[in-house]
Structures are given as C-alpha cells and as structure tokens.
Amino acid sequence: MDDYDTALGLVAAGAGVAVVPDLSAQNPPPGTLLTPLDLRRRSEVAFRGGSAAHPAVQALIAALREALPPEVAVTA
C-alpha cells in the first residue's frame, strides 16, 4: 500500500500497524503513536538511457547531492 494517509487512518482505527516513511507521518491522526526506526532508504535517480550527460540531469543530481545531509553517503 502506498496510500499512507489511509494506512495511518487504519492504524488510528485500531486495524493494525504500518511502516511509513517519515515524510508521510508528519501529521498522524489522533491516537496514532510513531516510533522511529533506525533504517536507511536507498533511492536512485532515473533518467532515459543515453541522457546522463544532459545538463538538466546533471543539474538535478548535483542539486540532490548538495541538499543531502552531510552524514548521508552519496555514491557514484
């Protein structure tokens, strides 16, 4: 399920538990308790084959790397 508002609503209604991304749990429903997990999420930039050198692709990748917190490792 990727409808995190619905997932949190079900949790608040007592219908289970859910693992949700931090950004989707900024305003959980009343009665919902959040417990941080020591997990990492790996994300990648997708672009059309052959366009890696395109200025827009390079600008996006550079901006993302610059925006990341210093403790986050960035690979090639």
Side-chain angles (χ1 to χ4, degrees), residues 1-75:
M1 169 185 288
D2 62 356
D3 184 347
Y4 300 115
D5 289 334
T6 299
L8 290 170
L10 290 167
V11 169
V17 298
V19 176
V20 296
D22 189 46
L23 287 175
S24 68
Q26 297 299 309
N27 297 304
T32 303
L33 298 176
L34 300 173
T35 300
L37 298 173
D38 189 22
L39 299 175
R40 288 184 172 245
R41 181 175 183 171
R42 183 179 181 113
S43 298
E44 300 190 30
V45 176
F47 49 88
R48 188 176 51 186
S51 62
H54 191 283
V57 172
Q58 291 298 306
L60 173 65
I61 292 170
L64 290 170
R65 286 183 171 153
E66 185 176 321
L68 290 172
E71 64 273 8
V72 176
V74 178
T75 59

